[in-house]
Amino acid sequence: MMTRQQLVAVGETGTEHAVRLEAATMVYGSGAGRVTALKAVTTGLPRGVLTAVMGPSGSGKSTFLHLAAGLDRPTSGRVLLGGTDLSGLSETKLTELRRDRIGFVFQAYNLIPSLTVADNITLPLRFAGRSAEPAWLMEIASAVGLGGLLGRRPNQLSGGQQQRVAIARALITRPDAVFADEPTGALDTTTAAEVLRLLRELVDTRGQTVVMVTHDPVAASYAHRVLFLADGTIVDELAAPTPDAVAARMTHLGRRA
């Protein structure tokens, strides 16, 4: 097994990637309204690594996340989850893959108010027609600090606890990768730090792969590496980031924009 530092340094032909983009391009619209949101991006997202994705508004970071997570198909190029080329899948197969092999954590939690914590966590399994393994549910709930709260409903939880439910829901299918879109955007500073520490711990202790889009240099500093996008391309990368180093890179990108 390669060290995490080696995984971060894997070359473009490396195989230790949970997700890989190859010349991925995304174009919206046509004619005068044509916009190229992502331009022939090639990069790998290493297994067992927390990768943050940053960039100015309009840089393509949301498009990057949507392509890497299989939410959208590239106009050209390829996206691979492990050895699976997502562009070759039917819509049905792609939906099944997202359900079974990809976890999602969003800023708005997206919990169902009428369901208990346990039912919200196991919802992806129910959609797949599978039963939750009680031991695995308890393991995941305990890992995110919800062991004693499985019978509660979302309105009985704090914002931080609701986001922990969303993280547990993303983990319940044992996904290849978890994608987090501004996961702390709706949280106060203290609660955000708790959620970010949890995400980093899940990577460090359980080997989970996490890809997080954020605009916050402090949030990005919890990652092992940061990818910086501008004008639809990856223009920089930073390993072992600190808030000051991330902020400095972002300031440079802002001047460039």
Side-chain angles (χ1 to χ4, degrees), residues 214-230:
T214 181
H215 69 281
D216 181 5
V218 173
S221 71
Y222 284 82
H224 296 99
R225 68 198 283 253
V226 183
L227 298 179
F228 296 91
L229 274 73

PDB file of all heavy atoms in Angstrom, residues 214-230:
ATOM      1  N   THR A 214     -15.074  23.848  -1.835  1.00  0.00           N
ATOM      2  CA  THR A 214     -15.244  24.855  -0.793  1.00  0.00           C
ATOM      3  C   THR A 214     -14.676  26.184  -1.285  1.00  0.00           C
ATOM      4  O   THR A 214     -13.825  26.221  -2.175  1.00  0.00           O
ATOM      5  CB  THR A 214     -14.546  24.437   0.519  1.00  0.00           C
ATOM      6  OG1 THR A 214     -14.767  25.453   1.515  1.00  0.00           O
ATOM      7  CG2 THR A 214     -13.048  24.250   0.320  1.00  0.00           C
ATOM      8  N   HIS A 215     -15.157  27.270  -0.697  1.00  0.00           N
ATOM      9  CA  HIS A 215     -14.598  28.595  -0.976  1.00  0.00           C
ATOM     10  C   HIS A 215     -13.775  29.088   0.212  1.00  0.00           C
ATOM     11  O   HIS A 215     -13.179  30.162   0.142  1.00  0.00           O
ATOM     12  CB  HIS A 215     -15.734  29.602  -1.233  1.00  0.00           C
ATOM     13  CG  HIS A 215     -16.533  29.904   0.000  1.00  0.00           C
ATOM     14  ND1 HIS A 215     -17.513  29.053   0.482  1.00  0.00           N
ATOM     15  CD2 HIS A 215     -16.475  30.935   0.879  1.00  0.00           C
ATOM     16  CE1 HIS A 215     -18.030  29.573   1.587  1.00  0.00           C
ATOM     17  NE2 HIS A 215     -17.418  30.706   1.849  1.00  0.00           N
ATOM     18  N   ASP A 216     -13.717  28.299   1.282  1.00  0.00           N
ATOM     19  CA  ASP A 216     -13.145  28.723   2.559  1.00  0.00           C
ATOM     20  C   ASP A 216     -11.725  28.175   2.725  1.00  0.00           C
ATOM     21  O   ASP A 216     -11.537  26.953   2.798  1.00  0.00           O
ATOM     22  CB  ASP A 216     -14.047  28.216   3.691  1.00  0.00           C
ATOM     23  CG  ASP A 216     -13.561  28.627   5.063  1.00  0.00           C
ATOM     24  OD1 ASP A 216     -12.574  29.379   5.160  1.00  0.00           O
ATOM     25  OD2 ASP A 216     -14.171  28.181   6.061  1.00  0.00           O
ATOM     26  N   PRO A 217     -10.705  29.032   2.814  1.00  0.00           N
ATOM     27  CA  PRO A 217      -9.332  28.558   3.012  1.00  0.00           C
ATOM     28  C   PRO A 217      -9.154  27.729   4.282  1.00  0.00           C
ATOM     29  O   PRO A 217      -8.339  26.799   4.298  1.00  0.00           O
ATOM     30  CB  PRO A 217      -8.518  29.855   3.079  1.00  0.00           C
ATOM     31  CG  PRO A 217      -9.313  30.843   2.302  1.00  0.00           C
ATOM     32  CD  PRO A 217     -10.749  30.498   2.599  1.00  0.00           C
ATOM     33  N   VAL A 218      -9.909  28.045   5.323  1.00  0.00           N
ATOM     34  CA  VAL A 218      -9.802  27.259   6.559  1.00  0.00           C
ATOM     35  C   VAL A 218     -10.335  25.851   6.323  1.00  0.00           C
ATOM     36  O   VAL A 218      -9.725  24.859   6.735  1.00  0.00           O
ATOM     37  CB  VAL A 218     -10.551  27.948   7.721  1.00  0.00           C
ATOM     38  CG1 VAL A 218     -10.567  27.043   8.953  1.00  0.00           C
ATOM     39  CG2 VAL A 218      -9.898  29.282   8.055  1.00  0.00           C
ATOM     40  N   ALA A 219     -11.476  25.742   5.654  1.00  0.00           N
ATOM     41  CA  ALA A 219     -12.019  24.416   5.341  1.00  0.00           C
ATOM     42  C   ALA A 219     -11.042  23.635   4.468  1.00  0.00           C
ATOM     43  O   ALA A 219     -10.794  22.446   4.695  1.00  0.00           O
ATOM     44  CB  ALA A 219     -13.372  24.556   4.638  1.00  0.00           C
ATOM     45  N   ALA A 220     -10.460  24.284   3.476  1.00  0.00           N
ATOM     46  CA  ALA A 220      -9.524  23.607   2.581  1.00  0.00           C
ATOM     47  C   ALA A 220      -8.283  23.120   3.318  1.00  0.00           C
ATOM     48  O   ALA A 220      -7.659  22.137   2.913  1.00  0.00           O
ATOM     49  CB  ALA A 220      -9.126  24.539   1.441  1.00  0.00           C
ATOM     50  N   SER A 221      -7.925  23.772   4.411  1.00  0.00           N
ATOM     51  CA  SER A 221      -6.713  23.385   5.141  1.00  0.00           C
ATOM     52  C   SER A 221      -6.860  22.034   5.839  1.00  0.00           C
ATOM     53  O   SER A 221      -5.863  21.453   6.270  1.00  0.00           O
ATOM     54  CB  SER A 221      -6.348  24.457   6.177  1.00  0.00           C
ATOM     55  OG  SER A 221      -7.263  24.468   7.265  1.00  0.00           O
ATOM     56  N   TYR A 222      -8.075  21.515   5.938  1.00  0.00           N
ATOM     57  CA  TYR A 222      -8.287  20.180   6.508  1.00  0.00           C
ATOM     58  C   TYR A 222      -7.993  19.088   5.476  1.00  0.00           C
ATOM     59  O   TYR A 222      -7.937  17.914   5.834  1.00  0.00           O
ATOM     60  CB  TYR A 222      -9.724  20.040   7.014  1.00  0.00           C
ATOM     61  CG  TYR A 222      -9.985  20.748   8.317  1.00  0.00           C
ATOM     62  CD1 TYR A 222     -10.245  22.114   8.350  1.00  0.00           C
ATOM     63  CD2 TYR A 222      -9.970  20.062   9.529  1.00  0.00           C
ATOM     64  CE1 TYR A 222     -10.485  22.778   9.547  1.00  0.00           C
ATOM     65  CE2 TYR A 222     -10.209  20.714  10.733  1.00  0.00           C
ATOM     66  CZ  TYR A 222     -10.456  22.075  10.730  1.00  0.00           C
ATOM     67  OH  TYR A 222     -10.688  22.735  11.924  1.00  0.00           O
ATOM     68  N   ALA A 223      -7.821  19.463   4.229  1.00  0.00           N
ATOM     69  CA  ALA A 223      -7.567  18.499   3.167  1.00  0.00           C
ATOM     70  C   ALA A 223      -6.092  18.102   3.126  1.00  0.00           C
ATOM     71  O   ALA A 223      -5.224  18.784   3.679  1.00  0.00           O
ATOM     72  CB  ALA A 223      -7.989  19.083   1.818  1.00  0.00           C
ATOM     73  N   HIS A 224      -5.817  16.987   2.448  1.00  0.00           N
ATOM     74  CA  HIS A 224      -4.428  16.596   2.203  1.00  0.00           C
ATOM     75  C   HIS A 224      -3.846  17.368   1.029  1.00  0.00           C
ATOM     76  O   HIS A 224      -2.640  17.587   0.960  1.00  0.00           O
ATOM     77  CB  HIS A 224      -4.342  15.099   1.892  1.00  0.00           C
ATOM     78  CG  HIS A 224      -4.764  14.226   3.037  1.00  0.00           C
ATOM     79  ND1 HIS A 224      -6.019  13.662   3.101  1.00  0.00           N
ATOM     80  CD2 HIS A 224      -4.101  13.832   4.149  1.00  0.00           C
ATOM     81  CE1 HIS A 224      -6.111  12.950   4.221  1.00  0.00           C
ATOM     82  NE2 HIS A 224      -4.976  13.037   4.867  1.00  0.00           N
ATOM     83  N   ARG A 225      -4.722  17.736   0.087  1.00  0.00           N
ATOM     84  CA  ARG A 225      -4.281  18.475  -1.093  1.00  0.00           C
ATOM     85  C   ARG A 225      -5.419  19.359  -1.574  1.00  0.00           C
ATOM     86  O   ARG A 225      -6.595  19.067  -1.315  1.00  0.00           O
ATOM     87  CB  ARG A 225      -3.869  17.511  -2.224  1.00  0.00           C
ATOM     88  CG  ARG A 225      -5.048  16.739  -2.787  1.00  0.00           C
ATOM     89  CD  ARG A 225      -4.639  15.507  -3.562  1.00  0.00           C
ATOM     90  NE  ARG A 225      -4.126  15.797  -4.889  1.00  0.00           N
ATOM     91  CZ  ARG A 225      -4.792  15.558  -6.017  1.00  0.00           C
ATOM     92  NH1 ARG A 225      -6.013  15.045  -5.973  1.00  0.00           N
ATOM     93  NH2 ARG A 225      -4.258  15.810  -7.178  1.00  0.00           N
ATOM     94  N   VAL A 226      -5.056  20.432  -2.249  1.00  0.00           N
ATOM     95  CA  VAL A 226      -6.041  21.354  -2.808  1.00  0.00           C
ATOM     96  C   VAL A 226      -5.761  21.517  -4.295  1.00  0.00           C
ATOM     97  O   VAL A 226      -4.613  21.749  -4.698  1.00  0.00           O
ATOM     98  CB  VAL A 226      -5.983  22.738  -2.127  1.00  0.00           C
ATOM     99  CG1 VAL A 226      -7.082  23.642  -2.684  1.00  0.00           C
ATOM    100  CG2 VAL A 226      -6.125  22.611  -0.616  1.00  0.00           C
ATOM    101  N   LEU A 227      -6.811  21.372  -5.109  1.00  0.00           N
ATOM    102  CA  LEU A 227      -6.742  21.685  -6.525  1.00  0.00           C
ATOM    103  C   LEU A 227      -7.378  23.056  -6.745  1.00  0.00           C
ATOM    104  O   LEU A 227      -8.467  23.323  -6.235  1.00  0.00           O
ATOM    105  CB  LEU A 227      -7.496  20.641  -7.352  1.00  0.00           C
ATOM    106  CG  LEU A 227      -6.994  19.198  -7.308  1.00  0.00           C
ATOM    107  CD1 LEU A 227      -7.896  18.314  -8.163  1.00  0.00           C
ATOM    108  CD2 LEU A 227      -5.545  19.107  -7.767  1.00  0.00           C
ATOM    109  N   PHE A 228      -6.695  23.912  -7.499  1.00  0.00           N
ATOM    110  CA  PHE A 228      -7.197  25.253  -7.782  1.00  0.00           C
ATOM    111  C   PHE A 228      -7.601  25.342  -9.249  1.00  0.00           C
ATOM    112  O   PHE A 228      -6.808  25.022 -10.139  1.00  0.00           O
ATOM    113  CB  PHE A 228      -6.127  26.304  -7.483  1.00  0.00           C
ATOM    114  CG  PHE A 228      -5.743  26.383  -6.036  1.00  0.00           C
ATOM    115  CD1 PHE A 228      -4.692  25.618  -5.551  1.00  0.00           C
ATOM    116  CD2 PHE A 228      -6.417  27.222  -5.163  1.00  0.00           C
ATOM    117  CE1 PHE A 228      -4.321  25.680  -4.213  1.00  0.00           C
ATOM    118  CE2 PHE A 228      -6.061  27.290  -3.827  1.00  0.00           C
ATOM    119  CZ  PHE A 228      -5.010  26.520  -3.346  1.00  0.00           C
ATOM    120  N   LEU A 229      -8.847  25.763  -9.481  1.00  0.00           N
ATOM    121  CA  LEU A 229      -9.350  25.926 -10.833  1.00  0.00           C
ATOM    122  C   LEU A 229      -9.510  27.399 -11.171  1.00  0.00           C
ATOM    123  O   LEU A 229      -9.845  28.215 -10.307  1.00  0.00           O
ATOM    124  CB  LEU A 229     -10.706  25.235 -11.008  1.00  0.00           C
ATOM    125  CG  LEU A 229     -10.697  23.740 -11.358  1.00  0.00           C
ATOM    126  CD1 LEU A 229     -10.291  22.919 -10.141  1.00  0.00           C
ATOM    127  CD2 LEU A 229     -12.053  23.290 -11.872  1.00  0.00           C
ATOM    128  N   ALA A 230      -9.270  27.722 -12.437  1.00  0.00           N
ATOM    129  CA  ALA A 230      -9.546  29.061 -12.969  1.00  0.00           C
ATOM    130  C   ALA A 230      -9.839  28.911 -14.452  1.00  0.00           C
ATOM    131  O   ALA A 230      -9.139  28.168 -15.157  1.00  0.00           O
ATOM    132  CB  ALA A 230      -8.363  29.995 -12.743  1.00  0.00           C
TER     133      ALA A 230
END
